[in-house]
Amino acid sequence: MPSAVEDAPSGPWSAPNIVGGNDIARPTITKPTYTGSLEQFNYNDLTPVIGREFVDLQVRDLLKASDDVIRDLAITISQRGVVFLRDQDVTPTEMKDFMLRLTTLAGSPESSSLHVHPLTEEGSELGDQISVISSEKQAKGGGLTHQLSDASRLASAGWHSDITFEPVPSDYAMLKIHTLPATGGDTLWASGYEVYDRLSKPMQQMLEGLTATHDAKFFLDEAERLGNPIRQGKRGSPLNYGTSLSAVHPVVRTNPVTGWKSIYVNRGFTKRINGITRDESDVLLPYLFNLVTQNHDAQVRFKWKKNDLAIWDNRSTWHCATYDYVEARAGDRVASLGEAPYLDLSSTGRREALGL
């Protein structure tokens, strides 16, 4: 198969204090300035650390808003981790249009667009860039839940960040739930900023010199089992193609929108920490995973209602669905691609940046 990047440079990002990244997937801006345009809207912070819910804010109206408003929303999502919008009257096409504008104004690389999931069927009714999240697909053994079903009966085994197995993973993701049970099916998010800040200084410094391997080769088996060939062409970035479904990223990465450091490993896709022994990796990874799952004060739990919508920053959060229902649950997800993950050694943690 010919390379999807044969005409593009793919070397590391050469800049002072930068570790990792890629020259063709660099952010176009960093640390954009919040203008205050969202202060006209009512909102509630759901916890001190993570989550904000806006009242009476519609994506359809935001599509007509100024660039300042959209950029301020991106900054808010990146700072608060996840933003919730209730009762949205918005189509999948409008969701795609909005996500493209959001990621562009937040500074995504010119080479990045919306992600095409490797398991998306050719000719999908909603288009390549919409992922249908449904209990029906899960019942057939789809996605991460099937991979984990043979390994664990712990609900916390499902914590992950989206598509970290790609060389250029997701910056933002948006999910609208349109079908749901009367109770159950909540989603939880956790803050990667807070997990980083809870590490001791020596542990932070050690992890900042390490990378980790992220892998989703189980999708190859799933594609064969379901009869859907893996999408091998460009999946939203010239660096995301083929069947390797594997990438190496810094264990600590900098979010370019906030300039804050976050832990960037997850139970769903991270297989090992590189540069240390397997035994050492097998000690460190579960410890980092436990910091996510066992610190409920670094999490927010959202109870969905019909047509509610969430937008989150995958660079500095994890999320986990709750499979405690038997009725139908379904929604549409759009994920945009950001930069190739990097660590800016001059960046700081969230608490230090905010003087907490």
Side-chain angles (χ1 to χ4, degrees):
M1 176 180 175
S3 169
V5 293
E6 57 191 1
D7 296 324
S10 57
W13 179 0
S14 300
N17 298 317
I18 298 297
V19 178
N22 189 291
D23 269 334
I24 66 169
R26 295 168 53 174
T28 56
I29 57 174
T30 57
K31 299 177 69 173
T33 301
Y34 182 75
T35 70
S37 65
L38 292 179
E39 300 307 310
Q40 63 183 300
F41 303 106
N42 295 321
Y43 61 82
N44 302 301
D45 286 343
L46 302 186
T47 79
V49 170
I50 183 172
R52 176 171 292 182
E53 180 178 330
F54 280 94
V55 180
D56 299 328
L57 188 61
Q58 286 284 329
V59 168
R60 182 166 288 171
D61 294 334
L62 287 171
L63 281 167
K64 307 169 189 173
S66 69
D67 287 354
D68 281 346
V69 171
I70 304 301
R71 188 179 293 109
D72 278 356
L73 181 61
I75 294 169
T76 300
I77 296 165
S78 294
Q79 290 180 342
R80 295 297 304 168
V82 56
V83 161
F84 303 106
L85 306 175
R86 296 285 190 180
D87 194 21
Q88 293 296 295
D89 181 17
V90 62
T91 67
T93 297
E94 289 171 325
M95 289 171 62
K96 290 192 294 185
D97 291 344
F98 180 76
M99 283 297 282
L100 276 173
R101 194 172 173 205
L102 183 82
T103 185
T104 300
L105 290 171
S108 67
E110 294 179 2
S111 58
S112 291
S113 183
L114 301 181
H115 187 242
V116 178
H117 196 278
L119 290 179
T120 299
E121 297 181 42
E122 295 274 3
S124 173
E125 181 180 349
L126 294 177
D128 288 346
Q129 297 159 330
I130 293 284
S131 295
V132 176
I133 309 298
S134 76
S135 53
E136 180 182 356
K137 288 175 64 176
Q138 290 154 4
K140 295 178 181 178
L144 195 57
T145 53
H146 174 73
Q147 185 240 350
L148 295 170
S149 63
D150 290 336
S152 177
R153 290 297 182 267
L154 298 176
S156 60
W159 281 98
H160 67 286
S161 299
D162 289 326
I163 56 176
T164 64
F165 56 86
E166 298 278 29
V168 180
S170 172
D171 52 2
Y172 300 105
M174 171 191 290
L175 173 63
K176 176 188 173 184
I177 296 292
H178 54 71
T179 304
L180 72 167
T183 186
D186 298 355
T187 303
L188 294 86
W189 282 262
S191 170
Y193 301 136
E194 183 66 15
V195 168
Y196 172 83
D197 282 336
R198 293 191 182 191
L199 296 170
S200 65
K201 288 294 183 183
M203 181 65 81
Q204 290 174 347
Q205 291 168 1
M206 182 187 72
L207 293 177
E208 287 174 12
L210 298 174
T211 64
T213 297
H214 301 242
D215 186 285
K217 287 188 173 61
F218 61 88
F219 282 145
L220 300 176
D221 296 333
E222 184 170 326
E224 183 176 355
R225 181 170 53 84
L226 298 176
N228 300 329
I230 286 285
R231 300 294 292 268
Q232 297 188 41
K234 188 174 75 170
R235 296 188 292 267
S237 167
L239 297 177
N240 297 350
Y241 68 97
T243 59
S244 71
L245 305 183
S246 180
V248 174
H249 301 308
V251 172
V252 178
R253 73 179 292 184
T254 301
N255 188 313
V257 176
T258 60
W260 302 341
K261 294 175 181 175
S262 173
I263 294 296
Y264 195 65
V265 296
N266 69 89
R267 182 165 285 171
F269 298 117
T270 309
K271 302 309 179 186
R272 70 159 294 165
I273 296 177
N274 306 313
I276 58 178
T277 67
R278 169 66 73 173
D279 287 345
E280 291 167 334
S281 175
D282 288 347
V283 170
L284 281 174
L285 275 180
Y287 173 69
L288 294 174
F289 298 156
N290 286 341
L291 285 177
V292 179
T293 63
Q294 296 183 19
N295 283 300
H296 61 273
D297 54 346
Q299 302 172 5
V300 62
R301 180 169 183 147
F302 187 64
K303 180 175 178 57
W304 299 92
K305 297 180 181 178
K306 183 178 176 64
N307 293 327
D308 287 347
L309 185 145
I311 315 173
W312 63 95
D313 191 325
N314 273 303
R315 296 167 292 199
S316 40
T317 64
W318 302 271
H319 56 280
C320 184
T322 307
Y323 299 102
D324 57 350
Y325 54 89
V326 294
E327 300 92 339
R329 180 182 183 272
D332 300 319
R333 190 196 72 174
V334 183
S336 56
L337 299 181
E339 69 286 348
Y342 68 92
L343 170 64
D344 182 346
L345 296 172
S346 65
S347 60
T348 67
R350 170 183 169 271
R351 287 181 175 270
E352 180 180 349
L354 296 179
L356 300 176

